[in-house]
């Protein structure tokens, strides 16, 4: 939300309509949510943490049913009963695909220009879907933070091409930064 506000302010377009949707949230890391990456890697092993963070279908341990941090206990999600207690990227793909069909496709069919601002894993899921990437390909897909990715779509909403709005050096540096986030170091998990 804050990123979108900054982008709209920079563009001088603060009055554009905004559609918020929980299906673009970051994937839910379950019981690992908010934990220190290094401590988590020391406890569970770096390879396991890497699989939880970057793998396609492996879910981290779920939140306990009585955990007060469960999304179902958050007033922002009142009325939603299909919120997860943990998610794999495959789970995130399901909700992002539903969002694509419910929200984005109708706007694109009206030939609307749309800016999608979302979190890293929801964007990875979206790229997997849009580009029909394999599970192996998406594991190695790194979406750089803060660099717009523009898709050119055909009449059937299939990608004709894509382009990052950055020079090669800036793009390479940003991708490297994302790749290094998977390494065990003293940071919080997503």
């Amino acid at each position: 939300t804050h990123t979108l506000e900054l982008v709209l302010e920079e563009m001088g377009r603060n009055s554009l309509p905004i559609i918020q949707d929980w299906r673009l949230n970051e994937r839910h890391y379950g019981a690992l949510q908010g934990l220190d990456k290094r401590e988590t890697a020391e406890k569970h092993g770096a390879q396991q943490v890497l699989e939880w963070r970057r793998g396609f279908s492996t879910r981290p341990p779920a939140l306990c049913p009585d955990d007060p941090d469960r999304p179902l206990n958050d007033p922002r999600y009142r009325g939603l009963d299909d919120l997860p207690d943990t998610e794999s990227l495959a789970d995130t793909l399901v909700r992002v695909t539903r969002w694509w069909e419910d929200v984005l496709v109708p706007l694109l069919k009206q030939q609307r220009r749309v800016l999608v601002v979302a979190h890293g894993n929801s964007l990875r899921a979206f790229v997997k879907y849009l580009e029909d990437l394999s599970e192996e390909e998406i594991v190695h897909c790194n979406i750089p933070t803060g660099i717009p990715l523009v898709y050119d779509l055909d009449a059937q909403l299939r990608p004709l091409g894509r382009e990052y709005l950055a020079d090669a050096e800036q793009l390479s540096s940003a991708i490297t930064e994302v790749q290094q986030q998977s390494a065990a170091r003293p940071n919080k998990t997503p």
Side-chain angles (χ1 to χ4, degrees):
T1 302
H2 183 63
T3 301
L4 177 60
E5 290 168 356
L6 292 172
V7 169
L8 292 177
E9 183 177 322
E10 182 67 25
M11 292 171 39
R13 304 295 301 264
N14 292 344
S15 64
L16 288 176
I18 297 171
I19 301 170
Q20 291 186 328
D21 197 306
W22 75 272
R23 294 174 291 186
L24 293 179
N25 285 358
E26 179 59 282
R27 69 179 264 216
H28 196 301
Y29 282 89
L32 303 180
Q33 200 86 0
L35 296 180
D36 181 276
K37 289 177 189 172
R38 181 172 45 199
E39 291 172 5
T40 304
E42 288 171 4
K43 181 177 179 181
H44 298 284
Q47 185 58 42
Q48 179 62 67
V49 172
L50 182 63
E51 180 61 27
W52 283 331
R53 293 193 73 234
R54 298 299 290 184
F56 182 69
S57 59
T58 304
R59 291 182 182 122
L63 289 173
C64 295
D66 61 345
D67 192 312
D69 290 331
R70 291 181 72 211
L72 286 173
N73 297 329
D74 189 324
R76 293 175 295 181
Y77 305 118
R78 192 167 284 129
L80 299 173
D81 56 2
D82 59 346
L83 296 170
D85 288 327
T86 188
E87 286 183 302
S88 65
L89 187 61
D91 298 320
T92 306
L93 176 64
V94 170
R95 66 175 158 88
V96 168
T97 302
R98 288 180 185 147
W99 166 81
W100 161 263
E101 293 294 334
D102 295 347
V103 177
L104 199 53
V105 166
L107 292 171
L108 294 173
K109 285 185 176 181
Q110 295 171 20
Q111 298 192 3
R112 305 277 301 270
R113 285 182 149 189
V114 180
L115 173 66
V116 177
V117 180
H119 293 273
N121 280 300
S122 53
L123 291 172
R124 284 178 62 229
F126 184 56
V127 166
K128 181 185 184 327
Y129 174 75
L130 200 58
E131 296 184 23
D132 195 27
L133 299 179
S134 69
E135 291 179 22
E136 179 62 27
E137 289 170 316
I138 198 59
V139 167
H140 302 289
C141 177
N142 294 291
I143 309 278
T145 303
I147 298 179
L149 173 59
V150 179
Y151 279 95
D152 183 25
L153 305 174
D154 68 14
Q156 287 73 42
L157 303 179
R158 292 184 305 246
L160 295 170
R162 72 177 198 163
E163 170 188 18
Y164 280 103
L165 300 182
D167 63 46
E169 185 177 321
Q170 181 186 22
L171 183 59
S172 177
S173 175
I175 289 173
T176 299
E177 186 176 321
V178 172
Q179 289 169 330
Q180 291 174 349
Q181 289 174 359
S182 294
R185 57 182 202 181
N187 265 343
K188 300 284 185 189
T189 55

PDB file of all heavy atoms in Angstrom, residues 40-71:
ATOM      1  N   THR A  40      16.196 -19.336  12.297  1.00  0.00           N
ATOM      2  CA  THR A  40      15.360 -20.367  11.691  1.00  0.00           C
ATOM      3  C   THR A  40      16.224 -21.373  10.943  1.00  0.00           C
ATOM      4  O   THR A  40      16.001 -22.584  11.026  1.00  0.00           O
ATOM      5  CB  THR A  40      14.316 -19.730  10.749  1.00  0.00           C
ATOM      6  OG1 THR A  40      13.561 -18.767  11.489  1.00  0.00           O
ATOM      7  CG2 THR A  40      13.376 -20.771  10.173  1.00  0.00           C
ATOM      8  N   ALA A  41      17.246 -20.893  10.216  1.00  0.00           N
ATOM      9  CA  ALA A  41      18.161 -21.789   9.495  1.00  0.00           C
ATOM     10  C   ALA A  41      18.980 -22.628  10.464  1.00  0.00           C
ATOM     11  O   ALA A  41      19.233 -23.816  10.208  1.00  0.00           O
ATOM     12  CB  ALA A  41      19.083 -20.980   8.585  1.00  0.00           C
ATOM     13  N   GLU A  42      19.389 -22.058  11.590  1.00  0.00           N
ATOM     14  CA  GLU A  42      20.139 -22.822  12.585  1.00  0.00           C
ATOM     15  C   GLU A  42      19.276 -23.919  13.205  1.00  0.00           C
ATOM     16  O   GLU A  42      19.753 -25.024  13.462  1.00  0.00           O
ATOM     17  CB  GLU A  42      20.677 -21.894  13.679  1.00  0.00           C
ATOM     18  CG  GLU A  42      21.820 -21.019  13.202  1.00  0.00           C
ATOM     19  CD  GLU A  42      22.210 -19.937  14.208  1.00  0.00           C
ATOM     20  OE1 GLU A  42      21.640 -19.893  15.322  1.00  0.00           O
ATOM     21  OE2 GLU A  42      23.091 -19.122  13.857  1.00  0.00           O
ATOM     22  N   LYS A  43      18.014 -23.633  13.402  1.00  0.00           N
ATOM     23  CA  LYS A  43      17.098 -24.600  14.020  1.00  0.00           C
ATOM     24  C   LYS A  43      16.663 -25.698  13.048  1.00  0.00           C
ATOM     25  O   LYS A  43      16.616 -26.867  13.403  1.00  0.00           O
ATOM     26  CB  LYS A  43      15.863 -23.877  14.562  1.00  0.00           C
ATOM     27  CG  LYS A  43      14.870 -24.785  15.248  1.00  0.00           C
ATOM     28  CD  LYS A  43      13.703 -24.001  15.828  1.00  0.00           C
ATOM     29  CE  LYS A  43      12.714 -24.941  16.492  1.00  0.00           C
ATOM     30  NZ  LYS A  43      11.570 -24.209  17.046  1.00  0.00           N
ATOM     31  N   HIS A  44      16.338 -25.311  11.809  1.00  0.00           N
ATOM     32  CA  HIS A  44      15.753 -26.259  10.847  1.00  0.00           C
ATOM     33  C   HIS A  44      16.705 -26.656   9.724  1.00  0.00           C
ATOM     34  O   HIS A  44      16.376 -27.551   8.946  1.00  0.00           O
ATOM     35  CB  HIS A  44      14.481 -25.664  10.228  1.00  0.00           C
ATOM     36  CG  HIS A  44      13.402 -25.380  11.210  1.00  0.00           C
ATOM     37  ND1 HIS A  44      12.615 -26.365  11.758  1.00  0.00           N
ATOM     38  CD2 HIS A  44      12.984 -24.217  11.762  1.00  0.00           C
ATOM     39  CE1 HIS A  44      11.748 -25.823  12.587  1.00  0.00           C
ATOM     40  NE2 HIS A  44      11.953 -24.526  12.618  1.00  0.00           N
ATOM     41  N   GLY A  45      17.826 -25.959   9.605  1.00  0.00           N
ATOM     42  CA  GLY A  45      18.772 -26.218   8.523  1.00  0.00           C
ATOM     43  C   GLY A  45      18.539 -25.263   7.366  1.00  0.00           C
ATOM     44  O   GLY A  45      17.398 -24.984   7.001  1.00  0.00           O
ATOM     45  N   ALA A  46      19.633 -24.782   6.787  1.00  0.00           N
ATOM     46  CA  ALA A  46      19.551 -23.808   5.701  1.00  0.00           C
ATOM     47  C   ALA A  46      18.810 -24.365   4.485  1.00  0.00           C
ATOM     48  O   ALA A  46      18.049 -23.649   3.830  1.00  0.00           O
ATOM     49  CB  ALA A  46      20.952 -23.342   5.306  1.00  0.00           C
ATOM     50  N   GLN A  47      19.019 -25.653   4.188  1.00  0.00           N
ATOM     51  CA  GLN A  47      18.357 -26.245   3.026  1.00  0.00           C
ATOM     52  C   GLN A  47      16.844 -26.289   3.209  1.00  0.00           C
ATOM     53  O   GLN A  47      16.093 -26.001   2.282  1.00  0.00           O
ATOM     54  CB  GLN A  47      18.901 -27.654   2.749  1.00  0.00           C
ATOM     55  CG  GLN A  47      18.344 -28.280   1.495  1.00  0.00           C
ATOM     56  CD  GLN A  47      18.615 -27.451   0.237  1.00  0.00           C
ATOM     57  OE1 GLN A  47      19.703 -26.925   0.045  1.00  0.00           O
ATOM     58  NE2 GLN A  47      17.615 -27.313  -0.617  1.00  0.00           N
ATOM     59  N   GLN A  48      16.383 -26.624   4.425  1.00  0.00           N
ATOM     60  CA  GLN A  48      14.941 -26.655   4.687  1.00  0.00           C
ATOM     61  C   GLN A  48      14.342 -25.253   4.566  1.00  0.00           C
ATOM     62  O   GLN A  48      13.277 -25.070   3.981  1.00  0.00           O
ATOM     63  CB  GLN A  48      14.651 -27.231   6.075  1.00  0.00           C
ATOM     64  CG  GLN A  48      13.173 -27.266   6.422  1.00  0.00           C
ATOM     65  CD  GLN A  48      12.368 -28.149   5.493  1.00  0.00           C
ATOM     66  OE1 GLN A  48      12.532 -29.363   5.483  1.00  0.00           O
ATOM     67  NE2 GLN A  48      11.501 -27.559   4.682  1.00  0.00           N
ATOM     68  N   VAL A  49      15.030 -24.268   5.120  1.00  0.00           N
ATOM     69  CA  VAL A  49      14.534 -22.892   5.025  1.00  0.00           C
ATOM     70  C   VAL A  49      14.482 -22.441   3.564  1.00  0.00           C
ATOM     71  O   VAL A  49      13.511 -21.820   3.134  1.00  0.00           O
ATOM     72  CB  VAL A  49      15.396 -21.938   5.889  1.00  0.00           C
ATOM     73  CG1 VAL A  49      15.022 -20.478   5.641  1.00  0.00           C
ATOM     74  CG2 VAL A  49      15.248 -22.280   7.365  1.00  0.00           C
ATOM     75  N   LEU A  50      15.497 -22.794   2.799  1.00  0.00           N
ATOM     76  CA  LEU A  50      15.506 -22.462   1.378  1.00  0.00           C
ATOM     77  C   LEU A  50      14.318 -23.115   0.667  1.00  0.00           C
ATOM     78  O   LEU A  50      13.642 -22.477  -0.148  1.00  0.00           O
ATOM     79  CB  LEU A  50      16.823 -22.905   0.730  1.00  0.00           C
ATOM     80  CG  LEU A  50      16.987 -22.581  -0.748  1.00  0.00           C
ATOM     81  CD1 LEU A  50      16.996 -21.070  -0.984  1.00  0.00           C
ATOM     82  CD2 LEU A  50      18.257 -23.205  -1.286  1.00  0.00           C
ATOM     83  N   GLU A  51      14.037 -24.358   0.982  1.00  0.00           N
ATOM     84  CA  GLU A  51      12.903 -25.057   0.368  1.00  0.00           C
ATOM     85  C   GLU A  51      11.586 -24.387   0.754  1.00  0.00           C
ATOM     86  O   GLU A  51      10.698 -24.229  -0.079  1.00  0.00           O
ATOM     87  CB  GLU A  51      12.902 -26.537   0.772  1.00  0.00           C
ATOM     88  CG  GLU A  51      11.776 -27.349   0.183  1.00  0.00           C
ATOM     89  CD  GLU A  51      11.753 -27.416  -1.339  1.00  0.00           C
ATOM     90  OE1 GLU A  51      12.821 -27.296  -1.976  1.00  0.00           O
ATOM     91  OE2 GLU A  51      10.661 -27.587  -1.909  1.00  0.00           O
ATOM     92  N   TRP A  52      11.443 -24.011   2.025  1.00  0.00           N
ATOM     93  CA  TRP A  52      10.221 -23.322   2.443  1.00  0.00           C
ATOM     94  C   TRP A  52      10.069 -21.985   1.730  1.00  0.00           C
ATOM     95  O   TRP A  52       8.982 -21.608   1.337  1.00  0.00           O
ATOM     96  CB  TRP A  52      10.238 -23.065   3.951  1.00  0.00           C
ATOM     97  CG  TRP A  52       9.922 -24.255   4.793  1.00  0.00           C
ATOM     98  CD1 TRP A  52       9.124 -25.326   4.472  1.00  0.00           C
ATOM     99  CD2 TRP A  52      10.392 -24.504   6.119  1.00  0.00           C
ATOM    100  NE1 TRP A  52       9.077 -26.212   5.514  1.00  0.00           N
ATOM    101  CE2 TRP A  52       9.839 -25.730   6.547  1.00  0.00           C
ATOM    102  CE3 TRP A  52      11.229 -23.813   6.998  1.00  0.00           C
ATOM    103  CZ2 TRP A  52      10.082 -26.277   7.793  1.00  0.00           C
ATOM    104  CZ3 TRP A  52      11.467 -24.349   8.245  1.00  0.00           C
ATOM    105  CH2 TRP A  52      10.898 -25.571   8.637  1.00  0.00           C
ATOM    106  N   ARG A  53      11.170 -21.261   1.562  1.00  0.00           N
ATOM    107  CA  ARG A  53      11.106 -19.919   0.989  1.00  0.00           C
ATOM    108  C   ARG A  53      11.004 -19.929  -0.529  1.00  0.00           C
ATOM    109  O   ARG A  53      10.311 -19.100  -1.108  1.00  0.00           O
ATOM    110  CB  ARG A  53      12.329 -19.092   1.411  1.00  0.00           C
ATOM    111  CG  ARG A  53      12.341 -18.782   2.903  1.00  0.00           C
ATOM    112  CD  ARG A  53      13.352 -17.726   3.259  1.00  0.00           C
ATOM    113  NE  ARG A  53      12.844 -16.438   2.792  1.00  0.00           N
ATOM    114  CZ  ARG A  53      13.527 -15.625   1.994  1.00  0.00           C
ATOM    115  NH1 ARG A  53      14.718 -15.939   1.575  1.00  0.00           N
ATOM    116  NH2 ARG A  53      13.008 -14.480   1.626  1.00  0.00           N
ATOM    117  N   ARG A  54      11.732 -20.810  -1.187  1.00  0.00           N
ATOM    118  CA  ARG A  54      11.815 -20.742  -2.639  1.00  0.00           C
ATOM    119  C   ARG A  54      11.159 -21.915  -3.359  1.00  0.00           C
ATOM    120  O   ARG A  54      10.929 -21.845  -4.557  1.00  0.00           O
ATOM    121  CB  ARG A  54      13.282 -20.650  -3.078  1.00  0.00           C
ATOM    122  CG  ARG A  54      14.007 -19.427  -2.581  1.00  0.00           C
ATOM    123  CD  ARG A  54      13.406 -18.148  -3.064  1.00  0.00           C
ATOM    124  NE  ARG A  54      13.629 -17.992  -4.489  1.00  0.00           N
ATOM    125  CZ  ARG A  54      13.286 -16.945  -5.197  1.00  0.00           C
ATOM    126  NH1 ARG A  54      12.698 -15.938  -4.623  1.00  0.00           N
ATOM    127  NH2 ARG A  54      13.526 -16.888  -6.479  1.00  0.00           N
ATOM    128  N   GLY A  55      10.902 -22.998  -2.663  1.00  0.00           N
ATOM    129  CA  GLY A  55      10.276 -24.151  -3.297  1.00  0.00           C
ATOM    130  C   GLY A  55       8.872 -23.826  -3.759  1.00  0.00           C
ATOM    131  O   GLY A  55       8.258 -22.852  -3.338  1.00  0.00           O
ATOM    132  N   PHE A  56       8.340 -24.671  -4.610  1.00  0.00           N
ATOM    133  CA  PHE A  56       7.017 -24.409  -5.177  1.00  0.00           C
ATOM    134  C   PHE A  56       5.887 -24.963  -4.324  1.00  0.00           C
ATOM    135  O   PHE A  56       4.891 -24.289  -4.088  1.00  0.00           O
ATOM    136  CB  PHE A  56       6.931 -24.980  -6.598  1.00  0.00           C
ATOM    137  CG  PHE A  56       5.611 -24.713  -7.256  1.00  0.00           C
ATOM    138  CD1 PHE A  56       5.261 -23.420  -7.625  1.00  0.00           C
ATOM    139  CD2 PHE A  56       4.723 -25.738  -7.496  1.00  0.00           C
ATOM    140  CE1 PHE A  56       4.034 -23.155  -8.210  1.00  0.00           C
ATOM    141  CE2 PHE A  56       3.504 -25.485  -8.095  1.00  0.00           C
ATOM    142  CZ  PHE A  56       3.158 -24.197  -8.456  1.00  0.00           C
ATOM    143  N   SER A  57       6.021 -26.190  -3.843  1.00  0.00           N
ATOM    144  CA  SER A  57       4.869 -26.815  -3.193  1.00  0.00           C
ATOM    145  C   SER A  57       5.053 -27.130  -1.714  1.00  0.00           C
ATOM    146  O   SER A  57       4.126 -27.633  -1.086  1.00  0.00           O
ATOM    147  CB  SER A  57       4.481 -28.089  -3.947  1.00  0.00           C
ATOM    148  OG  SER A  57       5.576 -28.982  -3.970  1.00  0.00           O
ATOM    149  N   THR A  58       6.192 -26.822  -1.141  1.00  0.00           N
ATOM    150  CA  THR A  58       6.435 -27.119   0.267  1.00  0.00           C
ATOM    151  C   THR A  58       5.922 -25.982   1.140  1.00  0.00           C
ATOM    152  O   THR A  58       6.341 -24.835   0.986  1.00  0.00           O
ATOM    153  CB  THR A  58       7.942 -27.331   0.539  1.00  0.00           C
ATOM    154  OG1 THR A  58       8.408 -28.365  -0.320  1.00  0.00           O
ATOM    155  CG2 THR A  58       8.188 -27.706   1.980  1.00  0.00           C
ATOM    156  N   ARG A  59       5.010 -26.330   2.048  1.00  0.00           N
ATOM    157  CA  ARG A  59       4.479 -25.341   2.978  1.00  0.00           C
ATOM    158  C   ARG A  59       5.313 -25.322   4.257  1.00  0.00           C
ATOM    159  O   ARG A  59       5.668 -26.372   4.772  1.00  0.00           O
ATOM    160  CB  ARG A  59       3.057 -25.698   3.390  1.00  0.00           C
ATOM    161  CG  ARG A  59       2.038 -25.562   2.318  1.00  0.00           C
ATOM    162  CD  ARG A  59       0.648 -25.904   2.882  1.00  0.00           C
ATOM    163  NE  ARG A  59      -0.345 -25.827   1.844  1.00  0.00           N
ATOM    164  CZ  ARG A  59      -1.140 -26.826   1.491  1.00  0.00           C
ATOM    165  NH1 ARG A  59      -1.075 -27.985   2.117  1.00  0.00           N
ATOM    166  NH2 ARG A  59      -2.000 -26.663   0.526  1.00  0.00           N
ATOM    167  N   PRO A  60       5.562 -24.131   4.806  1.00  0.00           N
ATOM    168  CA  PRO A  60       6.169 -24.057   6.137  1.00  0.00           C
ATOM    169  C   PRO A  60       5.161 -24.576   7.173  1.00  0.00           C
ATOM    170  O   PRO A  60       3.978 -24.720   6.876  1.00  0.00           O
ATOM    171  CB  PRO A  60       6.403 -22.561   6.343  1.00  0.00           C
ATOM    172  CG  PRO A  60       6.289 -21.933   5.003  1.00  0.00           C
ATOM    173  CD  PRO A  60       5.389 -22.824   4.203  1.00  0.00           C
ATOM    174  N   PRO A  61       5.618 -24.844   8.401  1.00  0.00           N
ATOM    175  CA  PRO A  61       4.677 -25.274   9.440  1.00  0.00           C
ATOM    176  C   PRO A  61       3.553 -24.244   9.609  1.00  0.00           C
ATOM    177  O   PRO A  61       3.796 -23.038   9.570  1.00  0.00           O
ATOM    178  CB  PRO A  61       5.539 -25.351  10.702  1.00  0.00           C
ATOM    179  CG  PRO A  61       6.949 -25.398  10.227  1.00  0.00           C
ATOM    180  CD  PRO A  61       6.987 -24.719   8.890  1.00  0.00           C
ATOM    181  N   ALA A  62       2.342 -24.737   9.800  1.00  0.00           N
ATOM    182  CA  ALA A  62       1.171 -23.856   9.928  1.00  0.00           C
ATOM    183  C   ALA A  62       1.101 -23.226  11.310  1.00  0.00           C
ATOM    184  O   ALA A  62       1.665 -23.740  12.277  1.00  0.00           O
ATOM    185  CB  ALA A  62      -0.104 -24.661   9.666  1.00  0.00           C
ATOM    186  N   LEU A  63       0.389 -22.105  11.385  1.00  0.00           N
ATOM    187  CA  LEU A  63       0.066 -21.515  12.678  1.00  0.00           C
ATOM    188  C   LEU A  63      -0.877 -22.450  13.416  1.00  0.00           C
ATOM    189  O   LEU A  63      -1.707 -23.125  12.796  1.00  0.00           O
ATOM    190  CB  LEU A  63      -0.623 -20.160  12.494  1.00  0.00           C
ATOM    191  CG  LEU A  63       0.228 -19.004  12.003  1.00  0.00           C
ATOM    192  CD1 LEU A  63      -0.654 -17.792  11.711  1.00  0.00           C
ATOM    193  CD2 LEU A  63       1.286 -18.647  13.029  1.00  0.00           C
ATOM    194  N   CYS A  64      -0.785 -22.477  14.720  1.00  0.00           N
ATOM    195  CA  CYS A  64      -1.709 -23.276  15.537  1.00  0.00           C
ATOM    196  C   CYS A  64      -3.102 -22.651  15.465  1.00  0.00           C
ATOM    197  O   CYS A  64      -3.234 -21.432  15.334  1.00  0.00           O
ATOM    198  CB  CYS A  64      -1.245 -23.305  16.987  1.00  0.00           C
ATOM    199  SG  CYS A  64       0.331 -24.140  17.211  1.00  0.00           S
ATOM    200  N   PRO A  65      -4.140 -23.483  15.562  1.00  0.00           N
ATOM    201  CA  PRO A  65      -5.513 -22.960  15.479  1.00  0.00           C
ATOM    202  C   PRO A  65      -5.828 -21.877  16.517  1.00  0.00           C
ATOM    203  O   PRO A  65      -6.661 -21.009  16.263  1.00  0.00           O
ATOM    204  CB  PRO A  65      -6.388 -24.196  15.702  1.00  0.00           C
ATOM    205  CG  PRO A  65      -5.522 -25.340  15.299  1.00  0.00           C
ATOM    206  CD  PRO A  65      -4.114 -24.943  15.640  1.00  0.00           C
ATOM    207  N   ASP A  66      -5.154 -21.908  17.660  1.00  0.00           N
ATOM    208  CA  ASP A  66      -5.434 -20.910  18.697  1.00  0.00           C
ATOM    209  C   ASP A  66      -4.454 -19.728  18.662  1.00  0.00           C
ATOM    210  O   ASP A  66      -4.475 -18.873  19.552  1.00  0.00           O
ATOM    211  CB  ASP A  66      -5.428 -21.552  20.084  1.00  0.00           C
ATOM    212  CG  ASP A  66      -4.078 -22.180  20.437  1.00  0.00           C
ATOM    213  OD1 ASP A  66      -3.240 -22.370  19.542  1.00  0.00           O
ATOM    214  OD2 ASP A  66      -3.886 -22.491  21.634  1.00  0.00           O
ATOM    215  N   ASP A  67      -3.621 -19.633  17.632  1.00  0.00           N
ATOM    216  CA  ASP A  67      -2.647 -18.550  17.530  1.00  0.00           C
ATOM    217  C   ASP A  67      -3.377 -17.233  17.245  1.00  0.00           C
ATOM    218  O   ASP A  67      -4.139 -17.136  16.284  1.00  0.00           O
ATOM    219  CB  ASP A  67      -1.651 -18.841  16.398  1.00  0.00           C
ATOM    220  CG  ASP A  67      -0.454 -17.927  16.413  1.00  0.00           C
ATOM    221  OD1 ASP A  67      -0.650 -16.691  16.523  1.00  0.00           O
ATOM    222  OD2 ASP A  67       0.677 -18.436  16.329  1.00  0.00           O
ATOM    223  N   PRO A  68      -3.148 -16.215  18.080  1.00  0.00           N
ATOM    224  CA  PRO A  68      -3.835 -14.926  17.858  1.00  0.00           C
ATOM    225  C   PRO A  68      -3.411 -14.218  16.574  1.00  0.00           C
ATOM    226  O   PRO A  68      -4.116 -13.316  16.104  1.00  0.00           O
ATOM    227  CB  PRO A  68      -3.449 -14.103  19.095  1.00  0.00           C
ATOM    228  CG  PRO A  68      -2.230 -14.752  19.649  1.00  0.00           C
ATOM    229  CD  PRO A  68      -2.293 -16.199  19.253  1.00  0.00           C
ATOM    230  N   ASP A  69      -2.291 -14.622  15.977  1.00  0.00           N
ATOM    231  CA  ASP A  69      -1.820 -13.998  14.737  1.00  0.00           C
ATOM    232  C   ASP A  69      -2.418 -14.616  13.476  1.00  0.00           C
ATOM    233  O   ASP A  69      -2.055 -14.210  12.366  1.00  0.00           O
ATOM    234  CB  ASP A  69      -0.286 -14.071  14.656  1.00  0.00           C
ATOM    235  CG  ASP A  69       0.383 -13.158  15.668  1.00  0.00           C
ATOM    236  OD1 ASP A  69      -0.221 -12.123  16.017  1.00  0.00           O
ATOM    237  OD2 ASP A  69       1.492 -13.485  16.110  1.00  0.00           O
ATOM    238  N   ARG A  70      -3.319 -15.571  13.636  1.00  0.00           N
ATOM    239  CA  ARG A  70      -3.967 -16.152  12.457  1.00  0.00           C
ATOM    240  C   ARG A  70      -4.694 -15.058  11.673  1.00  0.00           C
ATOM    241  O   ARG A  70      -5.332 -14.187  12.260  1.00  0.00           O
ATOM    242  CB  ARG A  70      -4.976 -17.224  12.866  1.00  0.00           C
ATOM    243  CG  ARG A  70      -4.328 -18.466  13.436  1.00  0.00           C
ATOM    244  CD  ARG A  70      -5.359 -19.505  13.790  1.00  0.00           C
ATOM    245  NE  ARG A  70      -5.894 -20.066  12.561  1.00  0.00           N
ATOM    246  CZ  ARG A  70      -7.143 -20.517  12.449  1.00  0.00           C
ATOM    247  NH1 ARG A  70      -7.978 -20.472  13.455  1.00  0.00           N
ATOM    248  NH2 ARG A  70      -7.548 -21.034  11.305  1.00  0.00           N
ATOM    249  N   PRO A  71      -4.615 -15.083  10.356  1.00  0.00           N
ATOM    250  CA  PRO A  71      -5.307 -14.067   9.557  1.00  0.00           C
ATOM    251  C   PRO A  71      -6.808 -13.979   9.848  1.00  0.00           C
ATOM    252  O   PRO A  71      -7.384 -12.888   9.774  1.00  0.00           O
ATOM    253  CB  PRO A  71      -5.057 -14.522   8.114  1.00  0.00           C
ATOM    254  CG  PRO A  71      -3.809 -15.331   8.176  1.00  0.00           C
ATOM    255  CD  PRO A  71      -3.829 -15.995   9.531  1.00  0.00           C
TER     256      PRO A  71
END
